[in-house]
Amino acid sequence: MYIYKTPPSCFVAAQNWTPQRRGPYLRRNQEEKMTVHNLYIFDRNGSCLYYNEWNRKKQAGISKEEEFKLMYGMLFSIRSFVSKMSPLDMKEGFLSFQTSKYRLHYYETPSGLKFVMNTDLSVSNARETLQHIYSNLYVEYIVKNPVCVAAHSLDSELFSSRLDAFIRALPYYSPRAA
């Protein structure tokens, strides 16, 4: 299922919409410009354990620590808002949201780790990608590694290199995306 913007700024779900059939406000060749911008991993207390960026064009103009606090605060607020405003009991809760420039994908583990990936708008769902990062990379190279202590930051070169290779191999990763 794809979601695309139609007049007058409402979102419409279209099951049969494909990238070849362009919606009324999609930019030309948008389907060729798919990419991953960055990834955050937060612990349950809001400390940023890991951050990496791949195709981030614009910097925030503030320190990384301030950016991490703002991101975690925004996630906390959105999760709270969604849980209070949802007409149904949402077992998975907040999964993603989008702006006019990017889509934020969110995955929270039972232990309270939060994985946040920013992509362009062409990536509709990265939940399985975030689950894979947690179960196949984080657990294997951080949790099962007796040398790694994931209390303050993830300083594992093996984890970083495997994560980078995994992100670059994704079908929606493009190093030249605008």
Side-chain angles (χ1 to χ4, degrees):
M1 180 183 292
Y2 292 92
I3 298 175
Y4 65 100
K5 210 170 188 177
T6 62
S9 297
C10 60
F11 287 95
V12 176
Q15 291 181 344
N16 297 327
W17 184 81
T18 62
Q20 289 77 29
R21 285 179 43 205
R22 290 185 175 84
Y25 286 100
L26 289 178
R27 290 186 310 246
R28 188 175 181 178
N29 297 328
Q30 183 180 12
E31 62 269 15
E32 287 94 16
K33 295 182 178 183
M34 299 168 63
T35 193
V36 175
H37 298 297
N38 53 19
L39 175 77
Y40 301 84
I41 301 176
F42 292 101
D43 68 5
R44 71 176 76 188
N45 300 318
S47 298
C48 187
L49 300 176
Y50 182 82
Y51 174 77
N52 196 0
E53 54 190 52
W54 288 270
N55 289 311
R56 185 174 179 175
K57 301 294 182 204
K58 182 180 176 191
Q59 298 301 317
I62 57 176
S63 70
K64 289 293 182 200
E65 283 70 29
E66 279 296 311
E67 181 181 336
F68 300 155
K69 288 178 188 177
L70 285 171
M71 177 61 75
Y72 188 80
M74 182 188 69
L75 292 171
F76 184 84
S77 298
I78 289 174
R79 283 187 59 234
S80 175
F81 177 78
V82 167
S83 69
K84 290 178 181 164
M85 298 306 290
S86 174
L88 304 171
D89 183 25
M90 298 179 59
K91 67 177 185 173
E92 291 183 343
F94 159 65
L95 302 176
S96 70
F97 83 91
Q98 77 177 40
T99 69
S100 63
K101 301 288 183 190
Y102 70 93
R103 178 170 286 152
L104 182 143
H105 305 270
Y106 178 77
Y107 174 68
E108 185 171 355
T109 68
S111 62
L113 287 173
K114 294 156 185 68
F115 291 75
V116 180
M117 179 185 288
N118 289 315
T119 66
D120 76 349
L121 297 174
S122 302
V123 181
S124 62
N125 186 356
R127 185 161 180 83
E128 289 181 9
T129 300
L130 294 174
Q131 286 175 330
H132 178 86
I133 291 170
Y134 170 66
S135 61
N136 295 9
L137 299 174
Y138 181 84
V139 170
E140 291 298 319
Y141 300 113
I142 301 299
V143 175
K144 292 182 179 179
N145 185 349
V147 178
C148 265
V149 178
H152 296 62
S153 67
L154 306 179
D155 295 328
S156 170
E157 295 229 2
L158 183 58
F159 172 74
S160 295
S161 65
R162 296 291 169 96
L163 177 62
D164 186 59
F166 174 73
I167 294 292
R168 291 178 189 277
L170 289 172
Y172 48 81
Y173 176 82
S174 170
R176 294 181 301 270

